[in-house]
Amino acid sequence: METMELEAQVYSALSGDSSLVALLPDGADSIHHLQAPGGSIDRYPIIVYSPISDVPALVGDDIELTHRITIRLHVITKDGQYGAIYRHIHRIMEGLGFSRVQAMPYVEDGQRILIADYRIGVSAQWQQ
């Protein structure tokens, strides 16, 4: 499976979960790929997801058999109330087969952000 296919699955699962989307002010339009929209954001919270690594996990006979992909999710808020959103994200990502690697709070420019990394191992047959 290619990383792009996995990213599409993540977006589909996040945007298709009615419980999660109900917590976002603009519904599925509050979920962004790679980066938050430019300029000032009027409505929080938003979610930004992006791949941060794609590395070989198993190699045999000089052929990559599996690879590990890590997806990073940012839950960006003004008030730090990201707990409920994070619980839904965690449930969704585990349902896709990901394992949580780490989660950490972060503050920047008045935004309170939760950063969470999830990893999955997938077949590398697409490369052969």
mmCIF file of all heavy atoms in Angstrom, residues 51-95:
data_model
loop_
_atom_site.group_PDB
_atom_site.id
_atom_site.type_symbol
_atom_site.label_atom_id
_atom_site.label_comp_id
_atom_site.label_asym_id
_atom_site.label_seq_id
_atom_site.Cartn_x
_atom_site.Cartn_y
_atom_site.Cartn_z
ATOM 1 N N PRO A 51 1.690 12.612 6.847
ATOM 2 C CA PRO A 51 2.667 11.562 7.068
ATOM 3 C C PRO A 51 3.992 12.201 7.486
ATOM 4 O O PRO A 51 4.376 13.233 6.925
ATOM 5 C CB PRO A 51 2.791 10.895 5.694
ATOM 6 C CG PRO A 51 2.437 11.971 4.729
ATOM 7 C CD PRO A 51 1.440 12.854 5.434
ATOM 8 N N ILE A 52 4.648 11.621 8.478
ATOM 9 C CA ILE A 52 5.948 12.181 8.877
ATOM 10 C C ILE A 52 7.089 11.210 8.625
ATOM 11 O O ILE A 52 8.240 11.616 8.630
ATOM 12 C CB ILE A 52 5.961 12.660 10.340
ATOM 13 C CG1 ILE A 52 5.675 11.516 11.296
ATOM 14 C CG2 ILE A 52 4.998 13.817 10.531
ATOM 15 C CD1 ILE A 52 5.993 11.854 12.743
ATOM 16 N N SER A 53 6.770 9.909 8.407
ATOM 17 C CA SER A 53 7.828 8.989 8.004
ATOM 18 C C SER A 53 7.237 7.786 7.297
ATOM 19 O O SER A 53 6.096 7.400 7.534
ATOM 20 C CB SER A 53 8.673 8.547 9.207
ATOM 21 O OG SER A 53 7.966 7.636 10.008
ATOM 22 N N ASP A 54 8.038 7.230 6.424
ATOM 23 C CA ASP A 54 7.708 6.018 5.687
ATOM 24 C C ASP A 54 9.037 5.288 5.529
ATOM 25 O O ASP A 54 9.862 5.664 4.699
ATOM 26 C CB ASP A 54 7.095 6.379 4.337
ATOM 27 C CG ASP A 54 6.696 5.158 3.526
ATOM 28 O OD1 ASP A 54 7.169 4.046 3.833
ATOM 29 O OD2 ASP A 54 5.927 5.327 2.569
ATOM 30 N N VAL A 55 9.269 4.282 6.351
ATOM 31 C CA VAL A 55 10.568 3.611 6.386
ATOM 32 C C VAL A 55 10.415 2.109 6.198
ATOM 33 O O VAL A 55 9.406 1.526 6.606
ATOM 34 C CB VAL A 55 11.311 3.902 7.707
ATOM 35 C CG1 VAL A 55 11.627 5.375 7.847
ATOM 36 C CG2 VAL A 55 10.512 3.426 8.899
ATOM 37 N N PRO A 56 11.415 1.462 5.571
ATOM 38 C CA PRO A 56 11.358 0.012 5.431
ATOM 39 C C PRO A 56 11.328 -0.661 6.801
ATOM 40 O O PRO A 56 12.004 -0.233 7.732
ATOM 41 C CB PRO A 56 12.666 -0.331 4.708
ATOM 42 C CG PRO A 56 13.101 0.946 4.059
ATOM 43 C CD PRO A 56 12.600 2.036 4.954
ATOM 44 N N ALA A 57 10.523 -1.723 6.896
ATOM 45 C CA ALA A 57 10.444 -2.467 8.154
ATOM 46 C C ALA A 57 10.984 -3.880 7.998
ATOM 47 O O ALA A 57 11.569 -4.428 8.918
ATOM 48 C CB ALA A 57 8.995 -2.521 8.641
ATOM 49 N N LEU A 58 10.801 -4.459 6.827
ATOM 50 C CA LEU A 58 11.267 -5.819 6.583
ATOM 51 C C LEU A 58 11.777 -5.899 5.149
ATOM 52 O O LEU A 58 11.066 -5.530 4.203
ATOM 53 C CB LEU A 58 10.126 -6.822 6.789
ATOM 54 C CG LEU A 58 10.458 -8.296 6.579
ATOM 55 C CD1 LEU A 58 11.515 -8.761 7.580
ATOM 56 C CD2 LEU A 58 9.199 -9.139 6.711
ATOM 57 N N VAL A 59 13.010 -6.368 5.022
ATOM 58 C CA VAL A 59 13.640 -6.488 3.711
ATOM 59 C C VAL A 59 14.127 -7.924 3.560
ATOM 60 O O VAL A 59 14.683 -8.503 4.486
ATOM 61 C CB VAL A 59 14.827 -5.500 3.570
ATOM 62 C CG1 VAL A 59 15.533 -5.680 2.240
ATOM 63 C CG2 VAL A 59 14.363 -4.073 3.749
ATOM 64 N N GLY A 60 13.894 -8.508 2.407
ATOM 65 C CA GLY A 60 14.386 -9.850 2.111
ATOM 66 C C GLY A 60 14.865 -9.929 0.684
ATOM 67 O O GLY A 60 14.204 -9.433 -0.233
ATOM 68 N N ASP A 61 16.041 -10.529 0.464
ATOM 69 C CA ASP A 61 16.617 -10.635 -0.887
ATOM 70 C C ASP A 61 16.685 -9.276 -1.570
ATOM 71 O O ASP A 61 16.357 -9.131 -2.753
ATOM 72 C CB ASP A 61 15.831 -11.624 -1.748
ATOM 73 C CG ASP A 61 15.935 -13.054 -1.248
ATOM 74 O OD1 ASP A 61 16.986 -13.395 -0.655
ATOM 75 O OD2 ASP A 61 14.969 -13.809 -1.440
ATOM 76 N N ASP A 62 17.089 -8.274 -0.814
ATOM 77 C CA ASP A 62 17.229 -6.904 -1.316
ATOM 78 C C ASP A 62 15.927 -6.299 -1.832
ATOM 79 O O ASP A 62 15.925 -5.405 -2.675
ATOM 80 C CB ASP A 62 18.298 -6.820 -2.412
ATOM 81 C CG ASP A 62 19.684 -7.126 -1.881
ATOM 82 O OD1 ASP A 62 19.947 -6.788 -0.705
ATOM 83 O OD2 ASP A 62 20.495 -7.697 -2.629
ATOM 84 N N ILE A 63 14.803 -6.815 -1.327
ATOM 85 C CA ILE A 63 13.493 -6.280 -1.710
ATOM 86 C C ILE A 63 12.756 -5.870 -0.437
ATOM 87 O O ILE A 63 12.689 -6.641 0.519
ATOM 88 C CB ILE A 63 12.662 -7.339 -2.466
ATOM 89 C CG1 ILE A 63 13.352 -7.713 -3.776
ATOM 90 C CG2 ILE A 63 11.255 -6.824 -2.742
ATOM 91 C CD1 ILE A 63 12.703 -8.880 -4.491
ATOM 92 N N GLU A 64 12.229 -4.672 -0.441
ATOM 93 C CA GLU A 64 11.424 -4.215 0.698
ATOM 94 C C GLU A 64 10.090 -4.958 0.698
ATOM 95 O O GLU A 64 9.346 -4.924 -0.275
ATOM 96 C CB GLU A 64 11.192 -2.709 0.583
ATOM 97 C CG GLU A 64 10.411 -2.131 1.737
ATOM 98 C CD GLU A 64 10.185 -0.634 1.598
ATOM 99 O OE1 GLU A 64 11.059 0.064 1.042
ATOM 100 O OE2 GLU A 64 9.130 -0.182 2.039
ATOM 101 N N LEU A 65 9.815 -5.647 1.807
ATOM 102 C CA LEU A 65 8.582 -6.417 1.916
ATOM 103 C C LEU A 65 7.486 -5.652 2.660
ATOM 104 O O LEU A 65 6.312 -5.751 2.305
ATOM 105 C CB LEU A 65 8.856 -7.751 2.614
ATOM 106 C CG LEU A 65 9.891 -8.649 1.908
ATOM 107 C CD1 LEU A 65 10.235 -9.845 2.781
ATOM 108 C CD2 LEU A 65 9.389 -9.063 0.550
ATOM 109 N N THR A 66 7.870 -4.949 3.698
ATOM 110 C CA THR A 66 6.911 -4.126 4.446
ATOM 111 C C THR A 66 7.560 -2.795 4.800
ATOM 112 O O THR A 66 8.785 -2.676 4.846
ATOM 113 C CB THR A 66 6.430 -4.815 5.753
ATOM 114 O OG1 THR A 66 7.542 -4.995 6.615
ATOM 115 C CG2 THR A 66 5.758 -6.140 5.481
ATOM 116 N N HIS A 67 6.716 -1.821 5.060
ATOM 117 C CA HIS A 67 7.222 -0.527 5.515
ATOM 118 C C HIS A 67 6.309 0.002 6.609
ATOM 119 O O HIS A 67 5.154 -0.390 6.732
ATOM 120 C CB HIS A 67 7.390 0.469 4.367
ATOM 121 C CG HIS A 67 6.174 0.729 3.553
ATOM 122 N ND1 HIS A 67 5.713 1.985 3.301
ATOM 123 C CD2 HIS A 67 5.315 -0.093 2.903
ATOM 124 C CE1 HIS A 67 4.633 1.938 2.536
ATOM 125 N NE2 HIS A 67 4.381 0.675 2.285
ATOM 126 N N ARG A 68 6.893 0.877 7.445
ATOM 127 C CA ARG A 68 6.151 1.497 8.548
ATOM 128 C C ARG A 68 5.894 2.948 8.201
ATOM 129 O O ARG A 68 6.807 3.682 7.837
ATOM 130 C CB ARG A 68 6.958 1.429 9.847
ATOM 131 C CG ARG A 68 6.874 0.135 10.567
ATOM 132 C CD ARG A 68 7.464 0.255 11.972
ATOM 133 N NE ARG A 68 8.788 0.826 11.978
ATOM 134 C CZ ARG A 68 9.915 0.125 11.997
ATOM 135 N NH1 ARG A 68 9.880 -1.179 12.003
ATOM 136 N NH2 ARG A 68 11.087 0.726 12.016
ATOM 137 N N ILE A 69 4.641 3.328 8.357
ATOM 138 C CA ILE A 69 4.239 4.707 8.069
ATOM 139 C C ILE A 69 3.746 5.332 9.363
ATOM 140 O O ILE A 69 2.948 4.731 10.082
ATOM 141 C CB ILE A 69 3.124 4.744 7.004
ATOM 142 C CG1 ILE A 69 3.628 4.123 5.705
ATOM 143 C CG2 ILE A 69 2.628 6.170 6.786
ATOM 144 C CD1 ILE A 69 2.555 3.872 4.683
ATOM 145 N N THR A 70 4.233 6.523 9.639
ATOM 146 C CA THR A 70 3.773 7.274 10.808
ATOM 147 C C THR A 70 2.995 8.478 10.328
ATOM 148 O O THR A 70 3.468 9.250 9.492
ATOM 149 C CB THR A 70 4.958 7.723 11.691
ATOM 150 O OG1 THR A 70 5.718 6.571 12.053
ATOM 151 C CG2 THR A 70 4.476 8.440 12.939
ATOM 152 N N ILE A 71 1.786 8.613 10.859
ATOM 153 C CA ILE A 71 0.914 9.752 10.554
ATOM 154 C C ILE A 71 0.847 10.626 11.802
ATOM 155 O O ILE A 71 0.601 10.135 12.900
ATOM 156 C CB ILE A 71 -0.512 9.289 10.182
ATOM 157 C CG1 ILE A 71 -0.501 8.375 8.952
ATOM 158 C CG2 ILE A 71 -1.452 10.485 9.999
ATOM 159 C CD1 ILE A 71 -0.248 9.053 7.643
ATOM 160 N N ARG A 72 1.057 11.922 11.629
ATOM 161 C CA ARG A 72 0.970 12.874 12.739
ATOM 162 C C ARG A 72 -0.328 13.655 12.604
ATOM 163 O O ARG A 72 -0.658 14.158 11.531
ATOM 164 C CB ARG A 72 2.156 13.819 12.732
ATOM 165 C CG ARG A 72 2.074 14.901 13.795
ATOM 166 C CD ARG A 72 3.392 15.576 14.009
ATOM 167 N NE ARG A 72 4.273 14.658 14.721
ATOM 168 C CZ ARG A 72 5.580 14.866 14.896
ATOM 169 N NH1 ARG A 72 6.153 15.938 14.406
ATOM 170 N NH2 ARG A 72 6.308 13.989 15.563
ATOM 171 N N LEU A 73 -1.033 13.748 13.719
ATOM 172 C CA LEU A 73 -2.264 14.537 13.767
ATOM 173 C C LEU A 73 -2.090 15.680 14.750
ATOM 174 O O LEU A 73 -1.579 15.477 15.862
ATOM 175 C CB LEU A 73 -3.438 13.660 14.202
ATOM 176 C CG LEU A 73 -3.808 12.593 13.192
ATOM 177 C CD1 LEU A 73 -3.496 11.233 13.736
ATOM 178 C CD2 LEU A 73 -5.246 12.718 12.820
ATOM 179 N N HIS A 74 -2.491 16.862 14.331
ATOM 180 C CA HIS A 74 -2.510 18.034 15.198
ATOM 181 C C HIS A 74 -3.979 18.380 15.464
ATOM 182 O O HIS A 74 -4.738 18.539 14.510
ATOM 183 C CB HIS A 74 -1.868 19.242 14.517
ATOM 184 C CG HIS A 74 -0.399 19.132 14.298
ATOM 185 N ND1 HIS A 74 0.142 18.400 13.266
ATOM 186 C CD2 HIS A 74 0.640 19.669 14.981
ATOM 187 C CE1 HIS A 74 1.461 18.505 13.318
ATOM 188 N NE2 HIS A 74 1.790 19.261 14.348
ATOM 189 N N VAL A 75 -4.343 18.489 16.716
ATOM 190 C CA VAL A 75 -5.657 19.012 17.082
ATOM 191 C C VAL A 75 -5.387 20.429 17.581
ATOM 192 O O VAL A 75 -4.819 20.620 18.660
ATOM 193 C CB VAL A 75 -6.349 18.163 18.169
ATOM 194 C CG1 VAL A 75 -7.730 18.741 18.478
ATOM 195 C CG2 VAL A 75 -6.458 16.706 17.732
ATOM 196 N N ILE A 76 -5.763 21.406 16.789
ATOM 197 C CA ILE A 76 -5.428 22.802 17.074
ATOM 198 C C ILE A 76 -6.650 23.494 17.664
ATOM 199 O O ILE A 76 -7.725 23.502 17.060
ATOM 200 C CB ILE A 76 -4.960 23.522 15.793
ATOM 201 C CG1 ILE A 76 -3.784 22.756 15.168
ATOM 202 C CG2 ILE A 76 -4.585 24.971 16.099
ATOM 203 C CD1 ILE A 76 -3.377 23.250 13.794
ATOM 204 N N THR A 77 -6.458 24.068 18.857
ATOM 205 C CA THR A 77 -7.541 24.755 19.559
ATOM 206 C C THR A 77 -7.051 26.117 20.033
ATOM 207 O O THR A 77 -5.865 26.411 20.002
ATOM 208 C CB THR A 77 -8.011 23.945 20.790
ATOM 209 O OG1 THR A 77 -6.996 24.009 21.789
ATOM 210 C CG2 THR A 77 -8.318 22.502 20.440
ATOM 211 N N LYS A 78 -7.957 26.918 20.507
ATOM 212 C CA LYS A 78 -7.607 28.160 21.189
ATOM 213 C C LYS A 78 -7.601 27.954 22.700
ATOM 214 O O LYS A 78 -6.849 28.592 23.418
ATOM 215 C CB LYS A 78 -8.597 29.281 20.839
ATOM 216 C CG LYS A 78 -8.326 29.942 19.521
ATOM 217 C CD LYS A 78 -7.031 30.685 19.553
ATOM 218 C CE LYS A 78 -6.950 31.743 18.501
ATOM 219 N NZ LYS A 78 -5.631 32.364 18.458
ATOM 220 N N ASP A 79 -8.465 27.036 23.182
ATOM 221 C CA ASP A 79 -8.659 26.883 24.625
ATOM 222 C C ASP A 79 -8.078 25.597 25.222
ATOM 223 O O ASP A 79 -8.178 25.363 26.414
ATOM 224 C CB ASP A 79 -10.152 26.952 24.956
ATOM 225 C CG ASP A 79 -10.960 25.871 24.251
ATOM 226 O OD1 ASP A 79 -10.371 24.986 23.595
ATOM 227 O OD2 ASP A 79 -12.201 25.936 24.350
ATOM 228 N N GLY A 80 -7.477 24.734 24.402
ATOM 229 C CA GLY A 80 -6.895 23.499 24.915
ATOM 230 C C GLY A 80 -7.903 22.397 25.193
ATOM 231 O O GLY A 80 -7.547 21.366 25.760
ATOM 232 N N GLN A 81 -9.139 22.561 24.773
ATOM 233 C CA GLN A 81 -10.175 21.549 25.006
ATOM 234 C C GLN A 81 -10.179 20.538 23.855
ATOM 235 O O GLN A 81 -11.076 20.523 23.033
ATOM 236 C CB GLN A 81 -11.545 22.224 25.158
ATOM 237 C CG GLN A 81 -11.627 23.174 26.328
ATOM 238 C CD GLN A 81 -11.353 22.463 27.653
ATOM 239 O OE1 GLN A 81 -11.915 21.408 27.928
ATOM 240 N NE2 GLN A 81 -10.473 23.039 28.450
ATOM 241 N N TYR A 82 -9.141 19.706 23.816
ATOM 242 C CA TYR A 82 -9.020 18.727 22.745
ATOM 243 C C TYR A 82 -9.249 17.291 23.201
ATOM 244 O O TYR A 82 -9.155 16.359 22.422
ATOM 245 C CB TYR A 82 -7.666 18.821 22.043
ATOM 246 C CG TYR A 82 -6.480 18.985 22.957
ATOM 247 C CD1 TYR A 82 -6.074 17.974 23.828
ATOM 248 C CD2 TYR A 82 -5.743 20.172 22.947
ATOM 249 C CE1 TYR A 82 -4.990 18.134 24.659
ATOM 250 C CE2 TYR A 82 -4.654 20.342 23.775
ATOM 251 C CZ TYR A 82 -4.275 19.318 24.623
ATOM 252 O OH TYR A 82 -3.198 19.484 25.458
ATOM 253 N N GLY A 83 -9.584 17.073 24.460
ATOM 254 C CA GLY A 83 -9.738 15.725 25.007
ATOM 255 C C GLY A 83 -10.757 14.869 24.286
ATOM 256 O O GLY A 83 -10.476 13.735 23.900
ATOM 257 N N ALA A 84 -11.960 15.384 24.085
ATOM 258 C CA ALA A 84 -13.019 14.602 23.431
ATOM 259 C C ALA A 84 -12.651 14.296 21.983
ATOM 260 O O ALA A 84 -12.867 13.179 21.500
ATOM 261 C CB ALA A 84 -14.348 15.346 23.501
ATOM 262 N N ILE A 85 -12.084 15.272 21.301
ATOM 263 C CA ILE A 85 -11.679 15.066 19.909
ATOM 264 C C ILE A 85 -10.598 13.998 19.836
ATOM 265 O O ILE A 85 -10.642 13.096 19.000
ATOM 266 C CB ILE A 85 -11.201 16.393 19.280
ATOM 267 C CG1 ILE A 85 -12.372 17.353 19.154
ATOM 268 C CG2 ILE A 85 -10.531 16.154 17.926
ATOM 269 C CD1 ILE A 85 -11.990 18.768 18.798
ATOM 270 N N TYR A 86 -9.634 14.080 20.746
ATOM 271 C CA TYR A 86 -8.545 13.110 20.751
ATOM 272 C C TYR A 86 -9.055 11.693 21.009
ATOM 273 O O TYR A 86 -8.585 10.740 20.378
ATOM 274 C CB TYR A 86 -7.488 13.504 21.784
ATOM 275 C CG TYR A 86 -6.361 12.517 21.894
ATOM 276 C CD1 TYR A 86 -5.583 12.194 20.778
ATOM 277 C CD2 TYR A 86 -6.076 11.885 23.089
ATOM 278 C CE1 TYR A 86 -4.559 11.281 20.867
ATOM 279 C CE2 TYR A 86 -5.049 10.966 23.185
ATOM 280 C CZ TYR A 86 -4.292 10.677 22.072
ATOM 281 O OH TYR A 86 -3.279 9.766 22.164
ATOM 282 N N ARG A 87 -10.018 11.531 21.885
ATOM 283 C CA ARG A 87 -10.567 10.192 22.143
ATOM 284 C C ARG A 87 -11.185 9.597 20.875
ATOM 285 O O ARG A 87 -11.010 8.421 20.577
ATOM 286 C CB ARG A 87 -11.598 10.244 23.272
ATOM 287 C CG ARG A 87 -10.951 10.343 24.648
ATOM 288 C CD ARG A 87 -11.966 10.190 25.770
ATOM 289 N NE ARG A 87 -12.889 11.314 25.868
ATOM 290 C CZ ARG A 87 -12.617 12.460 26.477
ATOM 291 N NH1 ARG A 87 -11.447 12.653 27.044
ATOM 292 N NH2 ARG A 87 -13.517 13.421 26.538
ATOM 293 N N HIS A 88 -11.876 10.427 20.105
ATOM 294 C CA HIS A 88 -12.454 9.939 18.847
ATOM 295 C C HIS A 88 -11.356 9.616 17.827
ATOM 296 O O HIS A 88 -11.432 8.586 17.138
ATOM 297 C CB HIS A 88 -13.431 10.960 18.260
ATOM 298 C CG HIS A 88 -14.710 11.049 19.013
ATOM 299 N ND1 HIS A 88 -15.658 10.051 18.989
ATOM 300 C CD2 HIS A 88 -15.193 12.012 19.831
ATOM 301 C CE1 HIS A 88 -16.679 10.403 19.757
ATOM 302 N NE2 HIS A 88 -16.418 11.594 20.276
ATOM 303 N N ILE A 89 -10.360 10.485 17.726
ATOM 304 C CA ILE A 89 -9.254 10.230 16.805
ATOM 305 C C ILE A 89 -8.566 8.920 17.164
ATOM 306 O O ILE A 89 -8.274 8.095 16.291
ATOM 307 C CB ILE A 89 -8.243 11.401 16.823
ATOM 308 C CG1 ILE A 89 -8.836 12.627 16.113
ATOM 309 C CG2 ILE A 89 -6.915 10.990 16.181
ATOM 310 C CD1 ILE A 89 -8.000 13.881 16.248
ATOM 311 N N HIS A 90 -8.308 8.708 18.450
ATOM 312 C CA HIS A 90 -7.631 7.489 18.895
ATOM 313 C C HIS A 90 -8.447 6.250 18.510
ATOM 314 O O HIS A 90 -7.895 5.280 17.965
ATOM 315 C CB HIS A 90 -7.390 7.552 20.405
ATOM 316 C CG HIS A 90 -6.619 6.395 20.920
ATOM 317 N ND1 HIS A 90 -5.275 6.243 20.676
ATOM 318 C CD2 HIS A 90 -7.004 5.316 21.643
ATOM 319 C CE1 HIS A 90 -4.860 5.120 21.237
ATOM 320 N NE2 HIS A 90 -5.884 4.544 21.830
ATOM 321 N N ARG A 91 -9.729 6.292 18.730
ATOM 322 C CA ARG A 91 -10.607 5.166 18.379
ATOM 323 C C ARG A 91 -10.566 4.908 16.871
ATOM 324 O O ARG A 91 -10.457 3.762 16.417
ATOM 325 C CB ARG A 91 -12.047 5.469 18.831
ATOM 326 C CG ARG A 91 -13.077 4.450 18.369
ATOM 327 C CD ARG A 91 -14.490 4.838 18.768
ATOM 328 N NE ARG A 91 -14.882 6.197 18.461
ATOM 329 C CZ ARG A 91 -15.239 6.636 17.258
ATOM 330 N NH1 ARG A 91 -15.243 5.810 16.223
ATOM 331 N NH2 ARG A 91 -15.602 7.890 17.063
ATOM 332 N N ILE A 92 -10.625 5.961 16.088
ATOM 333 C CA ILE A 92 -10.622 5.839 14.632
ATOM 334 C C ILE A 92 -9.290 5.273 14.140
ATOM 335 O O ILE A 92 -9.259 4.349 13.316
ATOM 336 C CB ILE A 92 -10.915 7.206 13.973
ATOM 337 C CG1 ILE A 92 -12.353 7.635 14.268
ATOM 338 C CG2 ILE A 92 -10.634 7.170 12.476
ATOM 339 C CD1 ILE A 92 -12.626 9.106 14.009
ATOM 340 N N MET A 93 -8.194 5.808 14.641
ATOM 341 C CA MET A 93 -6.878 5.354 14.184
ATOM 342 C C MET A 93 -6.625 3.904 14.576
ATOM 343 O O MET A 93 -6.098 3.131 13.773
ATOM 344 C CB MET A 93 -5.787 6.275 14.725
ATOM 345 C CG MET A 93 -5.856 7.701 14.179
ATOM 346 S SD MET A 93 -5.745 7.827 12.378
ATOM 347 C CE MET A 93 -3.989 7.583 12.147
ATOM 348 N N GLU A 94 -7.018 3.520 15.776
ATOM 349 C CA GLU A 94 -6.879 2.110 16.168
ATOM 350 C C GLU A 94 -7.740 1.217 15.277
ATOM 351 O O GLU A 94 -7.337 0.117 14.916
ATOM 352 C CB GLU A 94 -7.255 1.913 17.632
ATOM 353 C CG GLU A 94 -6.146 2.274 18.586
ATOM 354 C CD GLU A 94 -6.441 1.827 20.004
ATOM 355 O OE1 GLU A 94 -7.626 1.722 20.397
ATOM 356 O OE2 GLU A 94 -5.466 1.586 20.738
ATOM 357 N N GLY A 95 -8.920 1.699 14.912
ATOM 358 C CA GLY A 95 -9.799 0.942 14.032
ATOM 359 C C GLY A 95 -9.197 0.720 12.649
ATOM 360 O O GLY A 95 -9.509 -0.261 11.976
#
